[in-house]
Amino acid sequence: MPPKKKSIDFEQSLATLESLVARMEQGDMTLEESLQAFETGIALTRECQTRLAAAEQQVTLLIEQQGNIRLEAFDRDEGEA
């Protein structure tokens, strides 16, 4: 269940970041509020990037061969066109 919690945390962080960007784009924040929002946005961006990198490392493919299921490392280049 921890992966589900991380997924929810990631989604919440991303939603918070999107909301923050929308507020900043409105242009009615003070300089101090804008600087604080920017700092928070950078922290959220780094957190999301870290979580994405960790998830990418954990991605596996389930391959069924002769009735047996085995885990195989995800080949990042395989799905790119």
Side-chain angles (χ1 to χ4, degrees):
M1 297 228 175
K4 182 73 174 173
K5 185 176 186 328
K6 287 183 182 178
S7 177
I8 292 170
D9 289 343
F10 174 81
E11 293 297 329
Q12 288 173 345
S13 294
L14 189 57
T16 301
L17 182 59
E18 289 172 348
S19 174
L20 189 61
V21 169
R23 275 191 64 214
M24 291 177 73
E25 287 177 343
Q26 290 176 356
D28 57 358
M29 298 173 80
T30 66
L31 179 59
E32 286 299 317
E33 290 171 332
S34 294
L35 289 173
Q36 181 62 44
F38 182 76
E39 184 177 331
T40 300
I42 293 296
L44 285 169
T45 299
R46 287 181 181 155
E47 181 179 326
C48 288
Q49 288 173 336
T50 299
R51 288 186 181 164
L52 285 174
E56 184 177 16
Q57 292 174 352
Q58 295 175 350
V59 172
T60 57
L61 298 174
L62 288 174
I63 298 177
E64 186 173 350
Q65 293 182 346
Q66 300 173 350
N68 296 322
I69 295 178
R70 67 185 176 108
L71 296 176
E72 183 175 297
F74 179 73
D75 185 358
R76 182 177 178 186
D77 296 330
E78 186 176 299
E80 295 179 9

